[in-house]
Amino acid sequence: MPEASSPVSPAAAPAPRVFSGIQPTADSFHLGNYLGALRQWVSLQDTHETFYCVVDLHAITVEHDPELLRRRTRLSVAQLIAMGVDPDRATLFVQSHVPEHAELAWVLGCITGFGEASRMTQFKDKSSKQGASGTSVGLFTYPVLQAADILLYTPDPGSAVLRVPVGEDQRQHLELTRTLAQRFNHRFGETFVAPEAHIPEGAAKITDLQEPDAKMSKSASSPQGIIDVLEEPGPMRKKIMRAVTDTGTEVVYDEEKKAGVTNLLRIYSALDGTSVPDLEAKYAGSGYGQFKKDLAEVVLGTFTPIRERTAALLDDPAELDRILGKGAERAGAVAARTMEIVRERVGFVGRGR
Ligand code: TYM
């Protein structure tokens, strides 16, 4: 495999940076992950210097099975490559391979207010479901680790852009990251660029097929509510045909009165490129059946090649590990540089040689 090629020539200004992460907590990514974030990961490679991370440290903030985590981490990497993340252009790596993530999280945790962390809505949702005894301190500090993930890849001066492609549900974590970047700079001197959330229009929040008011979610949705990227065609078609709509018959976009149909229209439009008004016109008078049938084919048209490529990539785990080794090396070099500055700014004594 050739060496990493930068999307811009060395003489030009450095390309703006992108960082994003995904948890290896399921046997497949789902349609919300794909439309909310992963599709943007792929397209941003053309114009940005990209860092993409499978966040296994985040995955252990809830109880987990070690063998399953290992399997799902490789499976995540395979799916990302199958979707179009190109390890020659993007730095694709596993979070635990770069220990600076945990180190910077500690430093940032020390400038995060307890009240500030307590206001994170994802923590409040998850911890209220699990109860105090089932909630780990790691889950509480999860957003601080996320801030560290992002800020380690703060760009060099001259390229003051750090974009983070994510779905709508990550907006609050991104706000906290910006706050922590600015607070650190204020206390210890200009160090971090405040990152910008890169949230897609239209597909920022894909909802559950069975509960169209709730987010499609690995942890909260029932299997019938989720469209998995790796799903077989038969069950996929069935799920889409059974998606909750309403007692009407019209294929019309209306978030309040027709949340189910609206979600399906958004998915169709995002995958196929046809605008929502054009879809409404196309299915005027034809009822939900034909609309759902066609949508299932559109989804399968996108996901079938990804499913096949993922299976092929998993046949060669040594190659996946080699790719991850390279990714860790490249990410580690950037992270080490940032941490060296952070240690100095914070007042740690440099290690003697
Ligand atoms: P995770 O693994 O839950 O989700 C990965 C990405 O998928 C997006 N997403 C959705 N987008 C639209 N509709 C949905 N129903 C939907 N469900 C999930 C998420 O917004 C996310 O972009 N905290 C992050 C992982 C993380 C991270 C980071 C992200 C750790 N460190 C640093 C960015 C930068 C998370 O839970 O992702």
Side-chain angles (χ1 to χ4, degrees), residues 18-254:
V18 159
F19 180 92
S20 199
I22 188 157
Q23 297 192 75
T25 43
D27 287 328
S28 170
F29 295 147
H30 61 65
L31 184 63
N33 300 137
Y34 181 74
L35 289 178
L38 303 177
R39 210 165 59 147
Q40 285 65 249
W41 290 25
V42 174
S43 59
L44 285 164
Q45 294 176 118
D46 297 335
T47 47
H48 291 66
E49 184 189 10
T50 48
F51 294 85
Y52 296 135
C53 185
V54 176
V55 294
D56 53 353
L57 299 179
H58 281 105
I60 65 166
T61 56
V62 292
E63 215 175 306
H64 76 285
D65 175 88
E67 270 320 310
L68 203 52
L69 175 62
R70 220 181 322 274
R71 187 158 64 75
R72 287 173 168 174
T73 301
R74 288 204 183 93
L75 182 60
S76 299
V77 173
Q79 285 177 93
L80 291 172
I81 298 171
M83 283 175 183
V85 171
D86 172 3
D88 286 336
R89 289 191 293 159
T91 297
L92 176 61
F93 69 107
V94 171
Q95 190 184 28
S96 63
H97 291 173
V98 181
E100 284 84 353
H101 287 249
E103 186 181 358
L104 183 58
W106 179 260
V107 173
L108 295 178
C110 295
I111 62 165
T112 307
F114 183 81
E116 198 169 35
S118 309
R119 283 193 291 277
M120 295 293 115
T121 52
Q122 288 210 329
F123 171 73
K124 287 200 280 188
D125 287 351
K126 283 195 184 169
S127 59
S128 70
K129 277 184 205 143
Q130 288 163 205
S133 58
T135 299
S136 68
V137 173
L139 191 67
F140 183 63
T141 56
Y142 177 117
V144 178
L145 178 59
Q146 182 164 348
D149 294 342
I150 298 167
L151 296 180
L152 269 180
Y153 300 90
T154 206
D156 295 331
S159 160
V161 181
L162 179 55
R163 296 205 167 90
V164 186
V166 282
E168 179 62 42
D169 60 345
Q170 298 301 308
R171 197 183 281 281
Q172 196 188 28
H173 289 172
L174 259 292
E175 271 313 308
L176 177 69
T177 306
R178 290 175 61 81
T179 304
L180 294 178
Q182 285 152 357
R183 189 173 299 154
F184 187 98
N185 291 347
H186 184 69
R187 291 201 191 159
F188 302 113
E190 235 15 73
T191 307
F192 296 122
V193 166
E196 295 163 19
H198 183 86
I199 298 178
E201 263 178 49
K205 184 183 171 190
I206 299 301
T207 61
D208 186 304
L209 296 188
Q210 292 301 316
E211 289 179 65
D213 291 320
K215 184 182 79 165
M216 184 180 286
S217 153
K218 282 181 273 211
S219 54
S221 294
S222 70
Q224 291 310 313
I226 285 201
I227 296 180
D228 279 331
V229 172
L230 302 181
E231 187 120 41
E232 294 290 332
M236 169 96 81
R237 286 197 183 92
K238 258 191 208 147
K239 273 188 195 178
I240 294 175
M241 294 310 290
R242 288 180 190 159
V244 166
T245 44
D246 51 62
T247 52
T249 54
E250 279 175 88
V251 178
V252 179
Y253 192 98
D254 182 336

